[in-house]
Amino acid sequence: MNTVKWVRTWFIIVLGIFGTIGIFNFIIDPYGFNKVVVVDGINKIKEDNTRFPFKFKIPLIQKGGWDNLMIGTSKIGVMDTKPVNELLGGRTFNLSLPASTVVSQYDAFMYAVKYNHIKNVIYGIDFLSFNKNLKLSDNYLQFKDTLKAYKSIYNYDIYFNFDTLKTSIKTIRNNSSPKPKMYPYFSTNGVRHYANFIQLSQSPNFNMRKRIHKLLQEFFRDWVYVDYEFSTKEMYLFSKIVAYCHTHNINLYVYIPPMYVDHFYAIKEAGLKDAFETFKRKLVEITDYVDFTGVNPISEDPNNFWDSTHLRIETTPMIMTSVIRDKNRKIDKHFGVFVTKKNIEEHLKNQAQQYQKIDLQEIFNEDLKDVISF
């Protein structure tokens, strides 16, 4: 009897501890998943929730009520949904998945159209997503089966654990400090906000050149473009998305996002020009698209970017107006080329003449350890 009594007592104690932790984490809500209780100086400024793209975005998608879908990598993730709402009407969700392959984008797309009557899709198609050697993210692998089965993704486990408890305490300390630190975050329409970079840009030590070079190091020396091999499998999956849109009368707008000119030059310096052109040729066999890469007034101005590939949110109207090609709005003819099967070779020839030589090895050797990446 005493043993049973002690087991029961300890069970109640443990349950009480975890219950208290869960309630505390739910109230503080360090990652901004519920925002039920928001108190200035306590938990108004949240921690980085962009580490949980599926856990944060999929439940919002499942609720339904979205008319337009923006999808792709983090390059479209920085684009605001409001200009799209104005151009197309209805409500727009930004289902960007950072550093994702088309495999995960395809599953997320199918999940979205399952729970929503999508009328328009804006696809920011990314060269990096077609790297055969780019590994599937742990975020995707965790929810792969759930997505394919169209089941719900829950976030209760976020609250009932000690790691979140530490983050909740960190959140309170940060909010109560004289100069709280800002973090990137997803808003409830899926847009990624670089609150941290906005804060950093206000510092006299902010150096855009170093930020650009930092991302060039990560993309071309350490990560995405290392051992790049173009994947026809990814392009096939993209063609299935295009076919689905055509079959279900969904308007599809495809574009290749802008990149800062040094990033464009680095593609050739890294020996990826042929793969980059193959990507564009294969893409136009499936659909027309707007290509914002190359040298143009937007890509030459570092003030339009936060690094070598991520635009500032203020550029959204000019991008989306060109992508959607609204006849009632002025389109900058020098920014964004509408690519078809008829003009693809001429377009690639023009871009080939735009490349300039940069010393990529010199950039690789720069000491940029203290520079915060994306």
Side-chain angles (χ1 to χ4, degrees), residues 39-63:
V39 181
D40 192 16
I42 301 294
N43 68 342
K44 186 176 181 178
I45 298 172
K46 305 296 184 180
E47 297 289 314
D48 182 0
N49 66 11
T50 63
R51 297 183 294 120
F52 313 105
F54 288 95
K55 188 180 284 289
F56 185 86
K57 294 190 176 188
I58 294 302
L60 294 171
I61 278 289
Q62 190 184 24
K63 288 180 180 179

Side-chain angles (χ1 to χ4, degrees), residues 56-76:
F56 185 86
K57 294 190 176 188
I58 294 302
L60 294 171
I61 278 289
Q62 190 184 24
K63 288 180 180 179
W66 303 104
D67 305 289
N68 313 308
L69 188 69
M70 301 168 73
I71 191 167
T73 63
S74 58
K75 293 181 181 65
I76 195 173

Side-chain angles (χ1 to χ4, degrees), residues 15-30 34 36-37 43 156-161 164-165 168 172:
L15 190 65
I17 291 173
F18 273 94
T20 302
I21 290 173
I23 293 171
F24 179 74
N25 287 335
F26 182 86
I27 293 173
I28 300 302
D29 185 29
N34 65 72
V36 173
V37 179
N43 68 342
Y156 301 124
D157 59 313
I158 284 283
Y159 304 114
F160 294 95
N161 70 70
T164 305
L165 176 61
S168 291
I172 295 173

Side-chain angles (χ1 to χ4, degrees), residues 302-366:
N303 293 319
N304 289 321
F305 297 83
W306 283 120
D307 47 45
S308 67
T309 63
H310 296 95
L311 287 166
R312 302 197 183 201
I313 197 169
E314 293 82 9
T315 64
T316 303
M318 71 176 80
I319 298 291
M320 290 302 140
T321 298
S322 295
V323 171
I324 297 170
R325 308 188 74 76
D326 183 3
K327 296 179 180 179
N328 296 319
R329 301 196 181 201
K330 184 179 179 181
I331 298 175
D332 190 342
K333 296 180 180 179
H334 301 290
F335 177 56
V337 177
F338 187 65
V339 182
T340 68
K341 291 179 181 179
K342 292 182 178 180
N343 71 350
I344 177 65
E345 294 305 325
E346 180 186 359
H347 172 58
L348 293 179
K349 182 180 179 181
N350 291 336
Q351 285 203 331
Q353 296 172 351
Q354 296 174 0
Y355 284 105
Q356 295 182 22
K357 186 173 180 57
I358 60 172
D359 193 336
L360 204 53
Q361 193 57 51
E362 183 179 335
I363 293 174
F364 290 169
N365 293 334
E366 288 185 54

